[in-house]
Amino acid sequence: MTGTRRNSRRLPPPISVGADGSSLSRLDVAALYQRTRRRRAAPYRRADIFARWGGACCYCDAPAEHLDHVQPLSRGGRDVLSNVVPACATCNLAKAALTLAEWIADYEAPRNP
C-alpha cells in the first residue's frame, strides 16, 4: 500500500450559528459548553471526612490521601457525605470504579501464578 495513512474518523460538519452565516465546529460548541457549565460545590468538606476517620484509610488503616466514593459515581452512587470515605492511594486506585462487593470478591479471589 502506498501513500500516507489517513485517519478514518472525520470531524462533523460545522454548525451554522448566526444569520450572517457564521459557524462553529462541534468541537468549538463542546469547548463553550465546558466553560459555561458550573460545577456544584460538594456537600461535605474534605477535612471533616479525614477528621471523622482519624486520617486513616477506611479499608486498611494506612494513612489516607484520597477520598473514595463507596458506590462509584459511574455506577449510580451519589456525591453525598454518607457515600464518601477516606482511602489510601493503593486501596483507592485498586478499587477504581468497582462497587465494594465487587472489589472484595476480586481481592479474595484465588490468584493463578
Side-chain angles (χ1 to χ4, degrees):
M1 185 170 184
T2 61
T4 60
R5 186 175 177 187
R6 296 187 66 152
N7 188 354
S8 61
R9 290 180 60 183
R10 294 178 185 229
L11 293 176
I15 301 170
S16 295
V17 175
D20 62 350
S22 62
S23 62
L24 293 173
S25 72
R26 292 185 192 272
L27 295 175
D28 292 333
V29 172
L32 287 171
Y33 175 73
Q34 289 295 329
R35 280 190 291 232
T36 59
R37 191 173 69 172
R38 279 198 277 177
R39 218 182 127 139
R40 266 187 302 188
Y44 51 82
R45 287 182 355 143
R46 182 179 182 89
D48 292 342
I49 293 172
F50 282 110
R52 183 175 69 185
W53 286 84
C57 173
C58 69
Y59 304 121
C60 70
D61 289 330
E65 303 123 9
H66 296 196
L67 290 180
D68 180 45
H69 289 88
V70 178
Q71 178 70 27
L73 299 176
S74 63
R75 306 289 287 281
R78 297 183 54 209
D79 194 20
V80 294
L81 181 63
S82 60
N83 191 38
V84 179
V85 293
C88 67
T90 305
C91 290
N92 194 28
L93 296 174
K95 183 175 170 288
L98 299 174
T99 63
L100 189 56
E102 292 169 341
W103 184 55
I104 290 172
D106 183 49
Y107 184 76
E108 293 175 349
R111 306 275 188 241
N112 291 331

